[in-house]
Amino acid sequence: MLSLYPTPNATSLSSPTSFSPRSTRFRMSHGSLPPLPENRIVLSVGTVVVDFLAAVASYPNPDDKIRTTSLKVQGGGNAGNALICAARLGLSPRLISKVANDTQGRGILEELQADGVDTSSVVVSEEGNSPFTYIIVDNETKTRTCIHTPGYPPMIPSDLSQTSLSSALDGARVLYLDGRIHETALLVAQEAARKNVPILVEGERIREGLDDLLKLADYAICSAKFPQAWTEAASVPSALVSILVRLPKIKFVIVTLGEDGCIMLERSVDEAPQTEEMDVDSLLELLKQRKDDNIAIPTCVSSPLTKLRANGVGTVCGRLFVGTAEKVPPSELQDTTGAGDSFIGAVLYAICSNMPPEKMLPFAAQVAATCCRAFGARTGLPHRTDARLASFLS
């Protein structure tokens, strides 16, 4: 939605790395789709921004002067991207956030509304500036570098009236917190917990107030480095055990690993008398050996119910899952911006649909892979009718 934002002159450049998903995507007929979840209202508290994306042939050295190969201006932010993904999959998202009443803020809201996100609980400040992010996309390494400028004034709990809070949570199936605007997020999470609304918390990096949110979480999705950074465990599998030991309310934790897929640890409340105890690192290696690397589409392998041991941490009874990522051909891989957000959006759909983990992880990986086939976090987000999702939704 380039027309919603003030854009530099470079937007007139040709954009060989982007495409219009609406014009190039094969779609399923609605008759072949499963019914939508009965309760599909999801609420999020988090940031929404404007992304200024510049693709370059390769990342510049200090003092270099280079040209972009393409440029895009569109809405972004973890919460905004995840909710637009959820909306395109058929959910009914609501957002609590804050923007300024400037050109960028108005564009942010218009883009969200156009995709079906309810922004009635977004606070609009008459002063200050809306948040924005410069993103440099390296065409050579297929990586991106983000430079973020926060919005001002920041959102505080008193910005959210009790009426808005009650209305936003009314009928919600799940609450998603991206870890930002933590004081307001905590207020909403506490009310959600009182109403027995499940809470999904994102652990992207260690942030102020995140520990308080995690204590209320039913589900957690983490970036690759977060589990060990937060727990100081010796390995990722041990860190996942540590998270479940330290946070007894958590039902499952997922760590996303980019092209290496993901790992999920699901807690079991029922421990059979003869449940085998096993070192979690050893179990992970066994599961990796069961992966079929010749399969291009996302898959999942899982352990039986096991008493998982992490040295120096403790034990937890549950199941370990290894999910693979789609092997996207290099010629189709455009931009990884927003891949993690789209994964979360798909998990929100899976929670609303009561998908089992064996189905949820490949589905979320496929949604993320589809996102990576276009320039920008939202351009390639698939709709529910996208044929590439057919086998994962059936």
Side-chain angles (χ1 to χ4, degrees), residues 60-68:
N61 295 312
D63 286 332
D64 274 358
K65 291 184 178 180
I66 63 174
R67 292 189 177 188
T68 60

Side-chain angles (χ1 to χ4, degrees), residues 72-190:
K72 183 179 286 291
V73 183
Q74 68 176 189
N78 295 35
N81 295 339
L83 289 192
I84 284 188
C85 177
R88 293 188 185 181
L89 293 174
L91 301 186
S92 301
R94 299 170 180 168
L95 175 67
I96 294 174
S97 190
K98 186 173 186 176
V99 298
N101 187 19
D102 52 16
T103 304
Q104 293 178 353
R106 291 189 291 272
I108 288 170
L109 296 182
E110 289 173 20
E111 186 173 348
L112 290 165
Q113 292 160 3
D115 257 303
V117 178
D118 182 343
T119 63
S120 59
S121 295
V122 175
V123 176
V124 179
S125 170
E126 291 302 320
E127 300 178 345
N129 65 276
S130 297
F132 60 93
T133 303
Y134 295 118
I135 302 175
I136 302 173
V137 179
D138 186 338
N139 291 337
E140 183 179 29
T141 62
K142 306 297 183 182
T143 57
R144 86 285 186 272
T145 301
C146 301
I147 307 168
H148 180 63
T149 299
Y152 184 84
M155 190 170 193
I156 56 177
S158 58
D159 286 333
L160 186 67
S161 69
Q162 183 61 43
T163 301
S164 292
L165 174 58
S166 299
S167 176
L169 275 170
D170 184 39
R173 172 66 177 82
V174 61
L175 168 67
Y176 157 54
L177 309 173
D178 71 1
R180 296 168 174 84
I181 51 177
H182 63 277
E183 293 175 329
T184 303
L186 181 60
L187 173 71
V188 179
Q190 289 169 336

Side-chain angles (χ1 to χ4, degrees), residues 32-72:
S32 64
L33 290 168
L36 283 166
E38 183 175 342
N39 186 347
R40 49 185 181 272
I41 297 172
V42 295
L43 173 65
S44 179
V45 183
T47 54
V48 285
V49 309
V50 176
D51 284 346
F52 295 89
L53 296 114
V56 296
S58 61
Y59 195 83
N61 295 312
D63 286 332
D64 274 358
K65 291 184 178 180
I66 63 174
R67 292 189 177 188
T68 60
T69 59
S70 56
L71 180 73
K72 183 179 286 291

Side-chain angles (χ1 to χ4, degrees), residues 227-251:
Q228 286 181 268
W230 192 71
T231 64
E232 300 182 350
S235 67
V236 170
S238 295
L240 299 184
V241 172
S242 179
I243 289 172
L244 263 60
V245 169
R246 292 169 61 174
L247 301 171
K249 192 183 177 196
I250 291 274
K251 295 179 175 66

